[in-house]
Amino acid sequence: MSGQEPAEGEGRALATPEPAAAKPPQPPERGRMAGLLHEIATGSALLTFLSLVLALLVGAVLIAASNEAVIAASKYFFSRPGDTFAAIGAAVGGAYTAMFQGSIIDISEYTLLRALRPLADTLTYATPLIAAGLGVALAFRAGLFNIGAQGQLIVGAIFAGYVGGSMNLPYGLHIVATVLAGLVGGALWAGIAGFLKARTGAHEVIVTIMLNNIATFLVLYVLTTEVFRREGRTDPIGRFMPESAQLWRLFGADSPVRTHFGLILALLAAVGVWWLLNRSTVGFGYRAVGFNPNAARTAGISVERSYITVMLIAGALAGLAGVSQVLGTELYLTSGVAGGIGFDAITVALLGRSTPLGTVLAGLLFGALKAGGVVMQARTGTAIDIVSVVQSMVVLFIAAPPLVRTIFRLKTKERSA
């Protein structure tokens, strides 16, 4: 203690706490759901590849476990383990070899055209997957989880089926009008979800699920009407598309190969989506909204308008998938026109990291799995459901990056920094 009195004003300075240093403004945090969606949709290529490898390994385990020769050899595993391993190798190797021959090239055929026919089947299966996958991927980039590609595909097919099967238009104009009708149908169906999201805040997942169900029942209804149902038939099957409304076969009208001009349209759509996202102001706005809608709104971007327009474009792309089915592959409208394409498109978009090129490659891969799965089942007796399991496992591993990193002992970016 010095015993000196504090100077005037010194006591007030000690009593009054100094104001805390002003913190720099922090950017608004993204929502947990938006962050998870962004991580899933834009994961690294290495994680995507490793996810595919893991899915194929799981498929190999299922193939071995369901093979009768493996089961028989496993009963005396401890006396002759080599028989079990040989049976596993034969089962897995035979199944995946048959899948390759059924999806890429079959060297057992005598002519080049017949040998490459599996590749043509892969392209045919991949066409609607690429188109619908682009629609899902584009919505992903804008922060929207568009799982309504199934319904948008169906409505696009209905519109295309109506214009193609019920209107008599000149050659050339007919196919253009039919394709545009399919795009408009898909766009309008997806636009409902985008409008409700923008105006009321309704979650697009719930809305698109409901729209998928409505579209499923809608196509069942329209196929009971005289406008759509084929004349002389009582079962729900649409009218056969006239030649003026059919997409051209790439290998000739008389060729048994079904690959059609829809593949070219899907690839052109991929180029258009790439340009939209990477070379246009509108695409920059979509990516900004997908990364952080609050920051995008602060920067003057209309988030609500982005939600509506991106869903319109995404729906048009899914409608293109419906067009390719009605005008190119099936040539008539049926209740099963969509199959599981709309749901597989989600996997394709995820596997393709929501990029146009990645979506095209993922669509080709899934087209190969579909084409090869049929041949695998026919030649080896392996259940084709295993292909569906592999596709599902791809989604599972892509949606769980920490699991893949743990299995392969990969370091995260934070650890490696």
Side-chain angles (χ1 to χ4, degrees):
M1 296 294 292
S2 62
Q4 296 179 352
E5 295 293 334
E8 186 178 357
E10 185 176 347
R12 291 196 299 270
L14 293 175
T16 305
E18 296 182 356
K23 296 182 178 179
Q26 299 295 325
E29 295 182 357
R30 285 183 293 172
R32 182 174 301 177
M33 183 64 185
L36 177 61
L37 176 62
H38 185 269
E39 184 179 2
I40 293 173
T42 59
S44 69
L46 177 61
L47 287 177
T48 302
F49 174 76
L50 294 178
S51 300
L52 179 60
V53 171
L54 286 176
L56 291 176
L57 289 177
V58 172
V61 172
L62 294 177
I63 291 172
S66 61
N67 185 268
E68 295 182 357
V70 175
I71 296 175
S74 63
K75 294 179 180 178
Y76 56 91
F77 174 79
F78 293 102
S79 59
R80 296 173 59 184
D83 289 358
T84 303
F85 291 120
I88 292 174
V92 176
Y96 280 154
T97 300
M99 180 178 289
F100 177 81
Q101 292 177 342
S103 59
I104 305 299
I105 184 172
D106 189 356
I107 58 176
S108 64
E109 296 291 347
Y110 295 101
T111 64
L112 180 62
L113 181 60
R114 291 181 63 87
L116 291 177
R117 183 172 178 177
L119 180 60
D121 291 337
T122 293
L123 296 177
T124 303
Y125 281 113
T127 298
L129 290 172
I130 293 173
L134 288 171
V136 178
L138 180 62
F140 276 160
R141 300 298 293 270
L144 294 177
F145 198 15
N146 175 29
I147 61 173
Q150 185 80 357
Q152 295 149 22
L153 187 157
I154 292 175
V155 175
I158 292 174
F159 274 55
Y162 173 73
V163 176
S166 303
M167 293 186 177
N168 294 319
L169 297 174
Y171 196 88
L173 178 61
H174 199 183
I175 183 64
V176 173
T178 307
V179 171
L180 291 178
L183 300 183
V184 170
L188 292 177
W189 205 247
I192 296 174
F195 179 81
L196 293 177
K197 172 74 174 181
R199 297 300 183 187
T200 68
H203 203 289
E204 71 277 7
V205 172
I206 305 300
V207 176
T208 50
I209 287 175
M210 294 298 103
L211 290 174
N212 283 344
N213 290 333
I214 294 172
T216 300
F217 290 110
L218 180 62
V219 70
L220 291 174
Y221 166 72
V222 298
L223 285 174
T224 63
T225 63
E226 297 296 333
V227 178
F228 286 89
R229 189 171 58 194
R230 190 179 305 179
E231 295 179 0
R233 298 288 293 266
T234 58
D235 52 332
I237 188 169
R239 298 181 177 181
F240 193 78
M241 294 294 111
E243 186 177 354
S244 59
Q246 295 180 12
L247 292 171
W248 307 297
R249 296 287 178 94
L250 296 182
F251 296 94
D254 298 331
S255 173
V257 178
R258 298 182 301 168
T259 308
H260 50 77
F261 194 73
L263 174 65
I264 306 301
L265 294 178
L267 295 179
L268 290 176
V271 175
V273 172
W274 174 86
W275 179 87
L276 177 67
L277 287 174
N278 299 286
R279 291 293 186 270
S280 71
T281 305
V282 176
F284 175 80
Y286 291 161
R287 290 189 285 120
V289 170
F291 186 76
N292 193 319
N294 295 328
R297 185 179 286 106
T298 303
I301 298 174
S302 175
V303 177
E304 290 75 16
R305 184 183 303 169
S306 298
Y307 284 156
I308 296 175
T309 56
V310 78
M311 285 300 291
L312 288 173
I313 301 173
L317 292 169
L320 178 60
V323 167
S324 70
Q325 287 295 97
V326 173
L327 306 183
T329 303
E330 303 294 341
L331 300 181
Y332 50 84
L333 181 64
T334 66
S335 58
V337 64
I341 295 173
F343 299 113
D344 290 342
I346 301 173
T347 313
V348 168
L350 290 174
L351 185 61
R353 299 170 57 204
S354 300
T355 63
L357 177 60
T359 302
V360 171
L361 296 177
L364 292 174
L365 173 63
F366 272 58
L369 290 176
K370 286 183 175 295
V374 177
V375 177
M376 180 184 71
Q377 184 182 34
R379 294 186 179 180
T380 66
T382 305
I384 196 172
D385 295 335
I386 290 180
V387 175
S388 300
V389 173
V390 171
Q391 294 175 354
S392 302
M393 295 304 295
V394 170
V395 178
L396 174 64
F397 290 122
I398 288 179
L403 176 61
V404 179
R405 291 193 187 99
T406 302
I407 293 174
F408 289 96
R409 298 182 179 275
L410 298 178
K411 294 181 179 180
T412 61
K413 294 181 179 179
E414 291 76 8
R415 292 177 182 175
S416 60

